């Protein structure tokens, strides 16, 4: 049983050796030597080798004749091969001889092809390099001509398009190194021009504002003369559209003064379409475009806004002596208008350099400072004409800025506040005027000798006396010069109040109410105090007091004419609901009562003086049959009273009764 297994194992090993590569039979042989029957295996292997040798011998015997035939055929082929080799050698020799010329031609052709390729390469390189050189030359010309924005565009195209195509050349590297320096130079130059522009408009803002205000004044005059046409916005011409990447050139591209166009004379200045046309904004546009191309737009916007805020603070700072003359206010307003005209134009001609929120913020800051400055400086003013001129200037200033879209309601509110101050100044002025009229009055009726004189006084004061009309010349008016002068001054005061209310966008009712209230203050406070001052003044005789009573009586009667006068100039009927009534009647009544009281006091004092000076002989004896005669002192008193009562002939009954009553009490016992 073991020998059978050993034989099978040896058979398997032999098959494995036959079928396995000789490099891998090591493990197989090792397994044989590991066993104990390697002798048997060797015998088995020898038997297998002998079998294979017999098979090889049989195969060789079978193919031997074919092998011999092949050898014989191969020998024949060798001879033919020798002949063919000789022929090939000869053919090669002839081909080599004939191919030398061809090789020479081919070499020449190769050299030509190389030259042609080099020429094509050179042409191609030159095709890419020449635009670079041409563009760089154009860049230098633009820099020399100070056309910085086109130069920046050219440098950008040169760097991004032309230089990459040209290749790595030394001149390209030099150009690439110079381009950042050129950009820095362009940026610095543009910033320098912008600074010059900002400085220029700061210096010339008053000129710009003056032009804008003059246009507003002209527009308002046109609007008032042509009321049927709707009011147009003034001071603004059609905006010129900016071409993409373009720069607006003014004055033919020649900058006479940075930021301000050169206007030859006033006639040319009057022909300027808008105030903004006085300004050459090209430095702003150019700098904006340059910084946008450089990717520094935010830096430029922040710088521009910061500088303009600083300029706004300078413009809004008034001079300490601005309140002394109207020219100081006008220069202050011109600078502010000029500043915001420039900002409005920049807002509408640039895309985002300044926005509406920024401009509104600046205007709110300016408005608060303007109102505060005007309140402070106007409080120093005590001249009504200057206040009125200032008011007109503020209205024109507000209308100008309103035409550019700025809200100005606070300015008109401030003007309403100034109206109270204006009224107080007017009251002070008229107080001096009334006192001057009273001091210059002779307190005697006005003599009139001709019809012309009579009409002259009737034009000054509305006297309605049919009896006086019938009297022949010469004749006397019942009142003194005080009456027509005061009446004219009252009308002048009303006109002064009306002038201030013009152009304040007030309704007729508001104007009428303002005038009536101011007139009431004039009557009840100023004129009343002046009349009491004149009545209480020392050395005022009874004749003057009587004339005061007559004067106040006629002024009282003229109050309804003042009512009609105010209604006519304000176009508000006097019977309108809630209309303020004039207090002139009570004012003149109070003054008349004060004069009557002074007459009563004066008469009593004079009578007491007569009685105190009287020296009576109480023990005098009269002859029989004779009647007693009045004392000389009493006769003097009666003569005084008679002459005094003659002055009362034109007075109403009440003062006469007040004066006669004490006299009758004194004379009754006599």
């Amino acid at each position: 049983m073991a020998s059978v297994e050993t034989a099978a194992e040896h058979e398997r090993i032999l098959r494995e050796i036959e079928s396995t590569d000789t490099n891998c039979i090591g493990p197989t042989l090792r397994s044989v030597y590991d066993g104990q029957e390697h002798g048997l295996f060797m015998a088995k292997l020898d038997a297998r080798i002998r079998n294979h040798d017999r098979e090889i011998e049989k195969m060789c015997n079978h193919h031997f004749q074919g092998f011999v035939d092949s050898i014989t055929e191969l020998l024949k082929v060798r001879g033919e091969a020798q002949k063919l080799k000789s022929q090939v050698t000869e053919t090669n020799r002839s081909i080599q001889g004939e191919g030398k010329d061809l090789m020479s031609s081919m070499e020449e052709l190769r050299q030509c092809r190389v030259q042609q390729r080099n020429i094509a390469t050179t042409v191609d390189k030159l095709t890419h390099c020449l635009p670079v050189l041409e563009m760089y030359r154009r860049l230098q010309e633009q820099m020399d001509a100070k056309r910085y924005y086109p130069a920046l565009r050219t440098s950008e195209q040169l760097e991004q398009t032309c230089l990459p195509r040209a290749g790595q050349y030394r001149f390209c590297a030099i150009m690439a190194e110079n381009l950042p320096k050129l950009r820095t130079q362009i940026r610095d130059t543009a910033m320098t021009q912008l600074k010059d522009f900002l400085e220029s408009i700061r210096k010339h803002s008053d000129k710009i504002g003056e032009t804008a205000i003059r246009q507003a004044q002209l527009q308002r005059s046109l609007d008032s003369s042509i009321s049927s046409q709707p009011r147009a916005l003034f001071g603004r011409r059609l905006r010129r559209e900016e071409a993409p990447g373009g720069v607006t050139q003014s004055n033919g591209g020649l900058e006479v003064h940075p930021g301000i166009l050169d206007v030859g004379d006033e006639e040319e200045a009057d022909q300027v379409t808008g105030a903004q046309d006085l300004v050459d904004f090209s430095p702003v546009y150019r700098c904006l475009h340059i910084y946008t191309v450089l990717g520094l737009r935010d830096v430029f916007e922040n710088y521009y806004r910061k500088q303009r805020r600083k300029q706004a603070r300078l413009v809004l700072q008034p001079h300490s002596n601005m309140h002394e003359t109207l020219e100081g206010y006008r220069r202050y307003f011109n600078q502010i208008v000029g500043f915001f005209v420039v900002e409005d134009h920049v807002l509408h001609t640039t895309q985002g350099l300044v926005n509406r929120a920024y401009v509104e913020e600046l205007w709110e800051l300016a408005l608060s400072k303007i109102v505060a400055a005007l309140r402070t400086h106007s409080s120093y003013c005590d001249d009504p004409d200057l206040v009125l001129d200032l008011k007109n200037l503020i209205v024109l200033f507000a209308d100008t800025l309103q035409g550019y879209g700025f809200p100005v309601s606070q300015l008109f509110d401030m003007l309403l506040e100034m109206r109270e101050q204006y009224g107080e100044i007017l009251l002070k002025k008229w107080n001096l005027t009334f006192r001057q009229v009273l001091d210059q009055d002779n307190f005697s009726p006005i003599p009139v000798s001709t019809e012309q004189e009579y009409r002259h006084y009737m034009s000054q004061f509305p006297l309605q006396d049919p009896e006086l009309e019938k009297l022949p010349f010469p004749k006397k008016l019942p009142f003194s010069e005080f009456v027509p002068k005061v009446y004219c001054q009252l009308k002048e005061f009303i006109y002064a109040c009306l002038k201030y209310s013009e152009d304040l966008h007030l309704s007729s009712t508001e104007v009428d109410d303002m005038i009536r209230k101011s007139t009431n203050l004039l009557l009840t406070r100023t004129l009343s105090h002046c009349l009491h001052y004149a009545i209480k003044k020392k050395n005022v005789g009874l004749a003057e007091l009587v004339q005061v009573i007559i004067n106040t009586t006629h002024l009282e009667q003229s109050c309804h004419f003042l009512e009609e006068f105010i209604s006519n100039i304000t176009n508000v009927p006097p019977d309108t609901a809630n209309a303020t009534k004039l207090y002139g009647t009570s004012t003149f009544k109070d003054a008349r009562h004060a004069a009557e009281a002074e007459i009563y006091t004066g008469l009593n004092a004079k009578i007491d003086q007569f009685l105190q000076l009287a020296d009576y002989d109480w023990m005098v004896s009269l002859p029989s049959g004779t009647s007693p005669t009045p004392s000389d002192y009493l006769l003097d008193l009666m003569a005084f009273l008679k002459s005094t009562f003659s002055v009362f002939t034109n007075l109403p009954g009440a003062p006469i009764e007040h004066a006669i009553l004490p006299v009758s009490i004194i004379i009754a016992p006599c």
Side-chain angles (χ1 to χ4, degrees), residues 48-80:
R48 178 64 60 89
I49 292 172
R50 286 192 297 272
N51 289 334
H52 283 298
D53 289 338
R54 284 192 296 271
E55 290 177 2
I56 291 171
E57 186 178 357
K58 288 180 181 179
M59 186 176 294
C60 289
N61 291 332
H62 178 72
H63 294 287
F64 180 75
Q65 187 60 40
F67 176 74
V68 173
D69 294 337
S70 297
I71 292 299
T72 303
E73 193 69 28
L74 182 60
L75 292 175
K76 292 180 181 179
V77 170
R78 186 177 64 177
E80 295 294 330

Side-chain angles (χ1 to χ4, degrees), residues 363-391:
W363 174 241
E364 290 177 1
L365 171 66
L367 198 56
S368 62
K369 290 186 176 294
I370 292 169
V371 171
L374 290 178
R375 282 174 178 166
T376 301
H377 286 267
S378 63
S379 62
Y380 299 137
C381 182
D382 55 1
D383 182 5
D385 294 333
L386 180 58
V387 174
L388 186 61
D389 291 339
L390 175 59
K391 167 258 170 184

Side-chain angles (χ1 to χ4, degrees), residues 278-322:
L278 294 175
V279 185
D280 179 15
F281 289 92
S282 58
V284 179
Y285 304 143
R286 186 182 304 116
C287 197
L288 174 62
H289 294 326
I290 288 173
Y291 271 72
T292 301
V293 172
L294 294 175
L296 300 173
R297 183 185 177 97
D298 294 339
V299 175
F300 175 71
E301 289 180 1
N302 294 333
Y303 176 81
Y304 178 84
R305 296 183 183 184
K306 181 179 179 181
Q307 294 301 316
R308 290 298 280 168
R309 281 194 179 95
K310 290 181 179 179
Q311 291 187 355
R313 294 188 184 96
L314 293 176
V315 167
L316 295 172
Q317 185 66 33
H319 294 287
S320 58
N321 60 345
M322 183 178 71

